[in-house]
Amino acid sequence: MREGRHHKRRLSMLLRSACMACVFSGAGLSFAQSGGQGAASEDVRLSIKPSRCVALHEGQICYQNITITWRTAFPGNYCVYWEVAPQPLQCWENTRSGRFEFDFQSAASVQFSLRPLGQSALAITPMRVAWVHRARQRKRLNWRLF
Amino acid sequence: MNVMTIRSRFFLLALSLAGMLASGWATANDIAREVRAGRDQAASYDGGFLELGLVVEVFSNPLMGLSEEDNGVDIGIALNGEYQWRGLFVEANTESERGLVLGYNLARGERWLLDIIGSNQHDEISEDMDDRLEGLRDRELDFMLGLRSTHYFGSNIFQLEWMRDISDRHEGVAVNASLGKFWQVRNWNVHAILTYRHKSARVMEYYVGVREDEVTDRFSAYSPGAGHISGLEVGITLPLSEKWILRSTAQYFALSDAMSESPLATEDAGGRLLTSVTRVFN
């Protein structure tokens, strides 16, 4: 079915995607980000479940198997990125939705984004890293008695 | 007989806050808190945290009088935490049985600490806890004062304590050496601690010795020399959320001959398995 898409519609989708990317990246608008789900518009959705990872101590690497899902209004070539790497985590060709499992490992909160290949983000969603015990700030070394 | 004893430890905790919380013979260990925290350097700060929750404990005590039964299951309140202010600190760790430690940081470097600490080291052993001890004098809990040196080597921590009784119970000396290691396995925090606890003849005489005037049909006279307890603790801690943690700890300890040959000893080794769920207040 995907192969059977009409060429005109694909062209329309690409133009629309490019336009959206231009608007949301160039104009500096912020994307909606809440509850692990971010969207540039109702036509583009990117979500992560679970959207939070909890480590015992601040600064530890937090590990979480997450499921990333996305959908757009029109099929196209899309990739999911996370901000710590320039390379995409996964790409899809000529499709309007995707889902994949990812072994998340990070010591800090990061953002995932959905982008048409080679273009700016259509949607961004955060993966929050939290912890139970915060790191203690060390004081200047000193001698108390001796 | 294994019994399910549900008893509140609020009274015990109240005693802790007064500086007299009962501690264990075998497993007292503040290094547990450091190792569980995964610390690799001598942290110093003003502030602290508190973990409060419930703990289920399966235990086997090798000495009479430390609990109502030699073996059993207990449910109690878990209270772990620390607070520091300008070098003064208080530490509570019911899961390591040290109870409460009061102290002051004398000096520190990048990877070492030297503290003066005061803590109860040995539990009360009395007829009130165990009817088999009828006719014996009560052995009261003590309070010892001494120095604690902590050294950090990567994910390893070495701790050495020298403490002397200041409660006029026995005027003995205890020397504790502990080596702890920490691993992170995904979000599980795993720790292991080896301990060696030396107790002077005075400590041994007071707690596991039997004087001539105490001799009964069950208890013959016994005058031990110095003794020690060797132990191993392995534990895991898992964050359930930003406020709740799950912790499970297994402890094994072996008594030296001077201790296990006491008429008060029922076994030459013991252990505990503790599982707790606690709410963390930062």
Side-chain angles (χ1 to χ4, degrees), chain A residues 55 57-63 82 104-110 129-131:
Chain A
H57 299 285
E58 182 179 4
Q60 284 186 326
I61 292 176
C62 197
Y63 298 83
W82 68 334
F104 175 83
Q105 300 180 15
S106 175
S109 299
V110 299
V129 172
W131 51 84

Side-chain angles (χ1 to χ4, degrees), chain A residues 52-57 60-65 103-105 128 130-134 136-146, chain B residues 36-37 41-42 44-46 49 51 86-87 104-110 112 114 182 184 186-187 189 237 239 241-242 245 280 282:
Chain A
R52 188 183 61 166
C53 183
V54 181
L56 187 61
H57 299 285
Q60 284 186 326
I61 292 176
C62 197
Y63 298 83
Q64 183 75 58
N65 288 315
D103 184 15
F104 175 83
Q105 300 180 15
R128 182 168 163 254
W131 51 84
V132 179
H133 291 289
R134 63 185 170 85
R136 308 298 181 188
Q137 297 297 316
R138 298 187 71 233
K139 287 182 175 178
R140 179 173 56 84
L141 297 179
N142 61 1
W143 292 79
R144 298 184 187 281
L145 186 67
F146 307 120
Chain B
R36 286 169 184 159
Q41 59 183 9
S44 180
Y45 61 97
D46 285 344
F49 70 91
E51 297 173 3
R86 296 188 177 183
Y104 181 74
N105 176 235
L106 297 172
R108 58 190 161 87
E110 285 281 351
W112 60 273
L114 180 63
F182 164 85
Q184 184 185 358
R186 293 189 71 83
N187 290 339
N189 290 257
T237 306
S241 71
E242 289 172 70
I245 59 175
V280 179
N282 277 308

